[in-house]
């Protein structure tokens, strides 16, 4: 299953953006799906995960109450609704089958979707 992220862009502080991760070749084949982000010059960070079967959701503290992770019923699309965006949310965003933030950026550097929050 290949994962492709989309939906990023240049937005202003306080704006909202919804990211999408689509799986080609069928539904997610992982028990959990996650969003990872990496800001320029910084280490990648885990943001949020959703259990594909149970729907259990977890977030890192910095995005709680602002970001919402979800998945479609076919379990082949993952979303990240990002509200009240801040400049520090600017990063390349990746979807991942693991919470380990280093895996996907190493495999697909620069192939996520870029979100830039700037006035």
């Amino acid at each position: 299953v290949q994962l492709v992220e989309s939906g990023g862009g240049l937005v202003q502080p306080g704006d909202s953006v919804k990211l999408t991760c689509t799986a080609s070749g069928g539904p997610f084949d992982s028990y959990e799906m996650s969003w990872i982000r990496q800001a320029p010059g910084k280490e990648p960070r885990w943001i949020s995960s959703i259990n594909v079967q149970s729907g259990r959701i977890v977030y890192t503290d910095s995005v709680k109450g602002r970001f919402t992770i979800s998945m479609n019923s076919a379990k082949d699309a993952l979303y990240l609704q990002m509200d009240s965006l801040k400049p520090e949310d600017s990063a390349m965003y990746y979807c991942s089958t693991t919470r380990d933030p280093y895996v996907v950026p190493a495999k697909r550097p620069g192939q996520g979707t870029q979100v830039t929050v700037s006035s």
Side-chain angles (χ1 to χ4, degrees):
V1 175
Q2 288 189 316
L3 304 175
V4 178
E5 301 89 348
S6 63
L10 173 62
V11 297
Q12 294 188 337
D15 282 354
S16 297
V17 167
K18 186 172 185 177
L19 306 183
T20 299
C21 169
T22 54
S24 61
F28 299 126
D29 57 2
S30 172
Y31 81 97
E32 188 177 75
M33 293 298 297
S34 298
W35 285 99
I36 306 297
R37 70 184 179 187
Q38 185 171 24
K42 295 189 176 180
E43 298 295 310
R45 300 291 186 192
W46 168 82
I47 303 172
S48 179
S49 298
I50 182 168
N51 186 291
V52 174
Q53 298 303 321
S54 71
R56 181 177 180 268
I57 290 171
V58 288
Y59 298 99
T60 192
D61 286 347
S62 63
V63 307
K64 280 182 183 176
R66 299 190 299 121
F67 290 11
T68 304
I69 191 172
S70 62
M71 186 171 51
N72 69 347
S73 58
K75 300 181 180 178
D76 60 4
L78 179 72
Y79 308 103
L80 186 67
Q81 176 68 42
M82 307 164 64
D83 299 320
S84 302
L85 283 162
K86 304 175 182 180
E88 52 263 44
D89 294 318
S90 297
M92 183 70 70
Y93 285 74
Y94 302 89
C95 61
S96 173
T97 57
T98 173
R99 293 192 192 187
D100 184 335
Y102 293 90
V103 173
V104 174
K107 285 185 177 179
R108 299 190 287 118
Q111 296 180 31
T113 188
Q114 177 70 40
V115 175
T116 302
V117 185
S118 175
S119 56

